[in-house]
Amino acid sequence: YQWKGPFYFIQGADPQFGLTKAWTHGDTENGDDEWAVEIKLAEQAVQAVNKLSPKPKFFVLCGDLVHGMPGTRWKKNQEQDLKDVLKNTDQDIPLVLVSGNHDIGNTPTSESIDDYCKNWGDDYFSFWVGGVFFIVLNSQLYYDCSKCPELKQAQDAWLDEQLATAAKQKCKHIIVFQHIPLFLSKPDEDDDYFNVNKPVRQEVMEKLDKAGVKAVFSGHYHRNAGGFYKGLEMVVSSAIGCQLGKDTHGLRVVVVTEEKVVHKYYSLTELGSHGIEKELLDMLAEQK
């Protein structure tokens, strides 16, 4: 719970083993039978993170770990291959995993969520790092909980408790991770495949902003985007894997100081060869 000075973490999203082939062949349902491209990119991401000095406090992957939807033919193989890559992450850098729509389904069920939890860990949880409170959410429950409404209610109740705990502990910042962005650029934008629909979005944004949450980091869009709702920043990071826009395969470096949360997206090549720029490293050196 105690603030011990500035630190940083790495955010990645959508390694999504299998999407590149599926996307290029125009068959996103069943075209995910090859993922050598994604294995290489995920390896590059892990190598880049391992080389960083000082080490990040953790490495978070914001969902869509693989492309195969629950029950599809290649999912288990994709997951095994991703685990084999992630195993090489430096033992001193904890991995934090967030569930995405491809991990538990566009319309999740208690079975698909249970399967994810057995395989990767809890679908929502919280943790502390040096006076900063981090909350991981299952955004599929916001997107479509029609087959498991009781699970959404449970997460909602849990979130309220977590935000109350954070208020009591007087933490420096609260930061949220989820897969689907609340919005891409404007809080009142139209509903879209890539955001949370308006009534739910409004309720969640208001709750998080009221609780003093500083930022929500997400993926899903395979492009960089983001904006603000009052004091809450929505940060949308592009993918480690397949790009759907003009961004490069990359990772986001997030520096947390006593006053603020500052972040920058780096291409995998840039981060791997040059590391973090001086300006951000200087922020870490301050207040020591």
Side-chain angles (χ1 to χ4, degrees), residues 222-281:
H222 295 253
R223 285 154 281 213
N224 286 310
F228 283 86
Y229 172 77
K230 300 181 183 174
L232 175 73
E233 185 177 10
M234 182 67 240
V235 185
V236 185
S237 291
S238 197
I240 291 171
C242 185
Q243 300 299 308
L244 301 184
K246 294 186 167 56
D247 293 299
T248 51
H249 309 281
L251 293 166
R252 194 173 290 278
V253 173
V254 187
V255 175
V256 183
T257 72
E258 203 159 358
E259 272 74 50
K260 51 193 178 182
V261 175
V262 181
H263 52 87
K264 184 181 177 201
Y265 187 82
Y266 287 85
S267 75
L268 294 180
T269 315
E270 193 184 359
L271 194 62
S273 53
H274 302 299
I276 301 170
E277 67 202 59
K278 186 173 181 312
E279 199 182 337
L280 291 181
L281 288 172

Side-chain angles (χ1 to χ4, degrees), residues 87 96 105 120 140 175 210 251-252 258:
K87 262 182 218 159
V96 177
W120 297 105
Q140 288 315 114
I175 293 173
K210 231 185 211 137
L251 293 166
R252 194 173 290 278
E258 203 159 358

Side-chain angles (χ1 to χ4, degrees), residues 13-18 35 38-43 45-46 59 61 63-67 74-89 95 97-98 103 116 119-120 240:
D14 304 271
Q16 206 158 341
F17 283 24
W35 50 91
E38 284 93 353
I39 289 178
K40 278 212 173 64
L41 290 162
E43 285 172 345
V46 167
F59 176 20
L61 283 174
D64 280 3
L65 305 173
V66 301
H67 183 67
W74 304 107
K75 189 176 183 66
K76 289 283 172 242
N77 304 55
Q78 290 167 356
E79 289 181 329
Q80 191 49 57
D81 284 354
L82 177 60
K83 285 181 181 179
D84 290 342
V85 173
L86 293 178
K87 262 182 218 159
N88 297 317
T89 309
L95 272 171
L97 300 172
V98 181
D103 305 310
Y116 170 88
N119 214 359
W120 297 105
I240 291 171

Side-chain angles (χ1 to χ4, degrees), residues 139-157:
S139 55
Q140 288 315 114
L141 297 174
Y142 293 143
Y143 190 79
D144 181 358
C145 65
S146 56
K147 289 189 176 161
C148 53
E150 71 293 349
L151 296 182
K152 173 171 187 296
Q153 285 166 353
Q155 177 173 264
D156 287 346

Side-chain angles (χ1 to χ4, degrees), residues 16-118:
Q16 206 158 341
F17 283 24
L19 176 60
T20 306
K21 163 96 190 289
W23 186 255
T24 10
H25 286 243
D27 180 4
T28 50
E29 296 287 309
N30 308 300
D32 59 334
D33 58 345
E34 285 173 25
W35 50 91
V37 175
E38 284 93 353
I39 289 178
K40 278 212 173 64
L41 290 162
E43 285 172 345
Q44 201 183 342
V46 167
Q47 284 157 9
V49 170
N50 286 348
K51 274 164 77 172
L52 295 171
S53 174
K55 290 186 199 307
K57 285 287 183 193
F58 59 88
F59 176 20
V60 58
L61 283 174
C62 283
D64 280 3
L65 305 173
V66 301
H67 183 67
M69 286 280 187
T72 56
R73 186 171 173 191
W74 304 107
K75 189 176 183 66
K76 289 283 172 242
N77 304 55
Q78 290 167 356
E79 289 181 329
Q80 191 49 57
D81 284 354
L82 177 60
K83 285 181 181 179
D84 290 342
V85 173
L86 293 178
K87 262 182 218 159
N88 297 317
T89 309
D90 186 311
Q91 294 299 299
D92 296 328
I93 304 172
L95 272 171
V96 177
L97 300 172
V98 181
S99 63
N101 56 310
H102 282 263
D103 305 310
I104 57 176
N106 284 324
T107 306
T109 60
S110 55
E111 291 74 27
S112 70
I113 292 175
D114 194 43
D115 188 56
Y116 170 88
C117 293
K118 284 188 180 123

